[in-house]
């Protein structure tokens, strides 16, 4: 973190290029390489460019989350959210909107560049992390490597042996993936909720599996013992973890800034990309303040441009560039192949004797794995619902093998994009989740919870996703290594490469694919 703070305060310099391998483009604020976004794809690109001695500028629209507020904490708690919780909102918009149908979850807040965003399209809303580290700041840390056979199905042109022997292990090592001690899991009150769901799955004849995480389980055990400040055990997650989580600012990005070649600009949103006659990439970015007011519009130039703005951010930038004519040669498939990873959230009501515990860790460590069921493939994460009270709810985030896909289209009225995903497409995921959980309810004589998702009697939350994927799919809008078709020296490294579904939580896959892209690009495209 120290490295991150120091380098981030340096600001962007008009770089001396003695150490860089590429020639400096002829623009005012320029760097050999620019990375847009600092989530998984952006962080991998920044580190590997920096290590290769290439001066790199990272542009991130969110804040650097390193300054404590009046309460001494960087992030606010889920139970008591304040302006730090959400991206320019007057009221929080948590995924679980209600409890016992009561509007007790969401709170009024003042607008601020908070850490969690919810982007609403007509029939689908998408939760995103905003800030240095992107989704790693707000996510549940579940670090899952997909089933090799399904990865091969989704990426038929990728060498799976190389992925599973080189890039997945590299990604896991850098991300700091670790696993819960099984003996502690069996004994601690903090995972009683997982053990109850495991029992109900076993009663149904279903298999459960432990899932690794980037949260430091040593820290978590110290939290339980009372020797470390509580974060996962203090109800912190979707609005940020103050301790314990190895988010990207502590892993990839700290190392990237540690190379001395990477500079970071925060609160700058890239709004357009074009190409000058000499091949220089030209970016326009709005720098804004804590009220959201634009205080400066900046221009940047670079030779190599890496897009890591996430599935929504990268798709929007490229669709806009193609449709407004700044990058007319982009492929027609840019904007296509989007899916929500088949996400459906739901709750079950347990019998009175099946208590899930007032104390629940916010980091999920187990899933129900029914992916091998070809008639209805589902992987369901056993999710916590930490309220500090016994509520008898078993909560799940189901990932279903929904084959439906949608496209982004340019909206000339707003300058943004629309997403063509429909409620009927979500219903495909919902039916798959329902099939699995009807079996679990039937085997355990339990019922669904009807009170958790805002509108009356809504059981399946299939209208939001944590896992936006696609929009610039590998091998379609790009070549097999993330090089964008139609232009040279333009790359995508984020979740927009994944074709809508990967069967498990996606950040390990996004990271490993970005590692693969960077290895190839640095070997072939940037040689002196
Ligand atoms: P992402 O991490 O979203 O980073 C994109 C970055 O670009 C962000 O920092 C943006 O602010 C920035 N940006 C966007 N547009 C612009 C622009 N125009 N100019 C400048 N900056 C821009 O992208 N996944 C798991 O594998 N395990 C989990 O347990 C898990 N839990 C989740 C829980 C929640 C509540 C959420 C929201 C997500 C969860 N995810 C989880 C999903 C995971 O965080 C997500 O797949 C990755 O963060 C996507 O990585 P990308 O690099 O694609």
């Amino acid at each position: 973190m120290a490295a991150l703070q120091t380098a981030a305060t340096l600001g962007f310099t008009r770089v001396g290029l003695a150490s860089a391998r590429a020639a400096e483009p002829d623009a005012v604020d320029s760097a050999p390489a620019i990375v847009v976004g600092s989530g998984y794809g952006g962080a991998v690109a920044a580190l590997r460019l920096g290590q290769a001695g290439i001066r790199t500028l990272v542009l991130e629209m969110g804040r650097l989350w390193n300054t404590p507020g009046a309460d001494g904490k960087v992030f606010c708690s889920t139970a008591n959210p304040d302006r730090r919780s959400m991206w320019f909102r007057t009221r929080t918009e948590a995924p679980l909107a209600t409890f016992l149908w009561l509007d007790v979850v969401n709170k009024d807040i003042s607008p601020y560049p908070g850490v969690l965003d919810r982007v609403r399209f007509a029939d689908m809303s998408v939760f995103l992390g905003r800030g240095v580290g992107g989704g790693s700041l707000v996510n549940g840390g579940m670090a899952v490597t997909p089933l090799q056979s399904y990865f091969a199905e989704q990426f038929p042109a990728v060498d799976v042996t190389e992925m599973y022997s080189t890039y997945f292990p590299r990604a896991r090592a850098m991300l700091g993936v670790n696993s819960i001690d099984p003996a502690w899991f069996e004994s601690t009150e903090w995972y009683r909720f997982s053990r109850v769901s495991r029992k109900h799955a076993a009663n149904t004849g279903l298999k459960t599996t432990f899932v690794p995480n980037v949260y430091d389980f040593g820290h978590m055990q110290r939290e339980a013992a009372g020797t470390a400040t509580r974060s996962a055990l203090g109800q912190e997650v979707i609005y940020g973890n103050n301790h314990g989580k190895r988010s990207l600012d502590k892993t990839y990005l700290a190392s990237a800034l540690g190379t001395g070649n990477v500079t970071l600009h925060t609160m700058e949103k890239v709004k357009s990309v074009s190409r000058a006659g000499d091949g220089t990439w030209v970016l326009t970015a709005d720098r804004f303040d804590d009220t959201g007011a634009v205080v400066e519009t900046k221009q940047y130039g670079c030779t190599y441009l890496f897009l890591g703005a996430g599935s929504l951010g990268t798709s929007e930038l490229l669709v806009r560039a193609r449709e407004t004519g700044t990058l007319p040669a982009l492929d027609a498939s840019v904007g296509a192949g989007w899916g929500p990873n088949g996400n459906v959230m739901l709750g079950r009501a347990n019998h009175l004797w099946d208590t899930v515990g007032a104390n629940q860790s916010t980091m999920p460590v187990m899933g129900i794995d029914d992916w091998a069921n070809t008639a209805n493939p589902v992987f369901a994460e056993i999710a916590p619902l930490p309220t500090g009270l016994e509520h008898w709810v078993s909560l799940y985030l189901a990932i279903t093998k929904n084959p439906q896909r949608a496209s982004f289209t340019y909206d000339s009225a707003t300058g943004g994009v629309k997403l063509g995903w429909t409620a009927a497409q979500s219903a495909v995921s919902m039916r798959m989740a329902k099939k699995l959980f009807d079996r679990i309810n039937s085997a355990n004589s339990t019922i669904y919870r009807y009170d958790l998702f805002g509108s009356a009697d809504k059981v399946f939350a299939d209208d939001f996703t944590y896992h936006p994927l696609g929009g610039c799919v590998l091998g379609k809008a790009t070549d097999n290594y993330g090089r964008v078709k139609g232009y040279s020296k333009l790359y995508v490294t984020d979740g927009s490469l994944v074709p809508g579904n990967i069967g498990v939580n996606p950040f390990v896959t996004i990271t490993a694919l970005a590692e693969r892209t960077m290895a190839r690009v640095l070997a072939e495209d940037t040689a002196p």
Side-chain angles (χ1 to χ4, degrees):
M1 198 59 176
L4 216 154
Q5 280 166 317
T6 320
T9 52
L10 289 177
F12 184 60
T13 49
R14 289 177 177 80
V15 288
L17 286 169
S19 66
R21 285 158 55 182
E24 184 181 21
D26 184 22
V28 180
D29 273 349
S30 62
I34 288 183
V35 176
V36 181
S38 63
Y40 293 90
V44 174
L47 172 62
R48 300 308 175 196
L49 287 162
Q51 285 177 331
I54 297 174
R55 298 296 305 256
T56 300
L57 172 63
V58 180
L59 299 176
E60 166 58 51
M61 65 189 270
R63 296 182 36 163
L64 174 61
W65 289 93
N66 67 346
T67 314
D71 59 359
K73 292 181 174 177
V74 171
F75 297 108
C76 64
S77 79
T78 315
N80 194 17
D82 58 30
R83 66 178 193 162
R84 292 169 289 183
S85 61
M86 290 203 71
W87 184 253
F88 294 112
R89 290 294 196 289
T90 52
R91 192 166 170 78
T92 59
E93 297 179 22
L96 255 84
T98 48
F99 194 76
L100 296 173
W101 293 278
L102 297 172
D103 184 15
V104 290
V105 179
N106 287 312
K107 303 271 179 348
D108 289 338
I109 53 173
S110 49
Y112 187 72
V115 72
L116 183 71
D117 199 357
R118 182 175 192 162
V119 178
R120 291 180 183 273
F121 298 101
D123 281 324
M124 172 59 64
S125 68
V126 180
F127 283 97
L128 300 166
R130 295 275 181 230
V132 176
S136 76
L137 298 168
V138 299
N139 68 32
M142 290 178 76
V144 200
T145 304
L147 205 62
Q148 188 162 329
S149 55
Y150 189 52
F151 180 89
E153 199 178 313
Q154 293 297 72
F155 295 102
V158 173
D159 178 346
V160 282
T161 309
E162 189 187 34
M163 270 313 282
Y164 281 75
S165 62
T166 303
Y167 298 115
F168 276 118
R170 186 175 295 175
R172 287 192 298 259
M174 273 304 299
L175 291 166
V177 175
N178 69 156
S179 294
I180 193 168
D181 171 1
W184 188 64
F185 172 85
E186 297 302 340
S187 61
T188 179
E189 60 178 320
W190 297 97
Y191 282 103
R192 184 178 171 76
F193 75 95
S194 301
R195 298 195 299 270
V196 167
S197 280
R198 178 180 62 182
K199 180 179 79 179
H200 292 169
N203 291 344
T204 320
L206 291 162
K207 180 172 93 176
T208 48
T209 177
F210 277 110
V211 168
N213 202 293
V214 295
Y215 198 90
D216 177 350
F217 284 109
H219 189 277
M220 194 188 289
Q221 288 204 33
R222 291 191 292 279
E223 292 178 43
T227 55
T229 311
R230 283 184 177 174
S231 183
L233 306 191
Q235 299 183 10
E236 291 179 352
V237 60
I238 59 169
Y239 302 138
N241 280 95
N242 285 298
H243 307 279
K245 198 207 272 180
R246 295 165 180 147
S247 46
L248 291 166
D249 50 331
K250 301 187 176 64
T251 59
Y252 272 100
L253 292 166
S255 301
L257 292 169
T259 65
N261 291 317
V262 177
T263 305
L264 180 63
H265 281 192
T266 58
M267 303 286 284
E268 292 193 14
K269 181 175 183 178
V270 176
K271 54 181 190 180
S272 74
V273 179
S274 60
R275 195 161 213 189
D278 65 353
T280 301
W281 290 108
V282 179
L283 283 74
T284 310
D286 281 340
R287 186 166 70 81
F288 49 92
D289 64 16
D290 284 353
T291 70
V294 175
V295 288
E296 189 182 359
T297 296
K298 302 171 89 169
Q299 277 225 332
Y300 293 104
C302 63
T303 305
Y304 298 95
L305 178 57
F306 293 82
L307 299 179
S311 166
L312 263 53
T314 291
S315 301
E316 179 176 72
L317 280 172
L318 290 181
V319 167
R320 183 188 295 135
R322 185 187 58 207
E323 299 307 314
T324 57
T326 62
L327 298 180
L330 288 172
D331 196 76
S333 65
V334 165
W338 189 88
N341 208 20
N343 278 192
V344 182
M345 193 174 264
L346 64 122
R348 294 175 44 246
N350 290 314
H351 297 292
L352 282 183
W353 57 85
D354 263 339
T355 51
V356 290
N359 285 332
Q360 301 193 7
S361 167
T362 56
M363 296 294 140
V365 292
M366 188 165 270
I368 299 170
D369 186 359
D370 201 30
W371 200 259
N373 174 3
T374 49
N376 196 57
V378 181
F379 175 82
E381 156 195 336
I382 299 170
L385 180 50
T387 62
L389 297 168
E390 176 59 49
H391 48 55
W392 292 275
V393 179
S394 284
L395 191 72
Y396 305 87
L397 179 68
I399 296 171
T400 64
K401 192 177 176 181
N402 182 340
Q404 300 284 320
R405 300 291 177 263
S407 293
F408 293 98
T409 49
Y410 183 61
D411 180 0
S412 57
T414 62
V417 288
K418 289 181 175 169
L419 177 62
W421 185 267
T422 65
Q425 291 179 298
S426 288
V428 176
S429 304
M430 186 277 277
R431 282 194 292 273
M432 296 179 79
K434 182 172 186 309
K435 254 191 204 164
L436 175 68
F437 284 95
D438 279 358
R439 281 170 63 198
I440 296 178
N441 277 338
S442 156
N444 293 283
S445 303
T446 50
I447 57 166
Y448 292 108
R449 289 285 295 228
Y450 295 83
D451 57 319
L452 304 175
F453 301 110
S455 49
D457 294 352
K458 187 172 175 65
V459 172
F460 300 98
D462 59 1
D463 53 354
F464 67 75
T465 183
Y466 287 174
H467 302 163
L469 295 173
C472 200
V473 171
L474 191 81
K476 293 194 168 143
T478 74
D479 77 350
N480 195 27
Y481 289 92
R483 298 174 175 111
V484 177
K485 285 182 185 169
Y487 294 91
S488 62
K489 300 177 184 171
L490 176 62
Y491 312 90
V492 171
T493 59
D494 57 29
S496 50
L497 294 172
V498 182
N501 192 293
I502 194 61
V504 292
N505 314 62
F507 74 61
V508 172
T509 302
I510 294 168
T511 306
L513 282 172
E515 288 283 17
R516 176 177 172 273
T517 287
M518 294 314 295
R520 177 60 63 121
V521 166
L522 288 167
E524 290 185 351
D525 297 15
T526 64

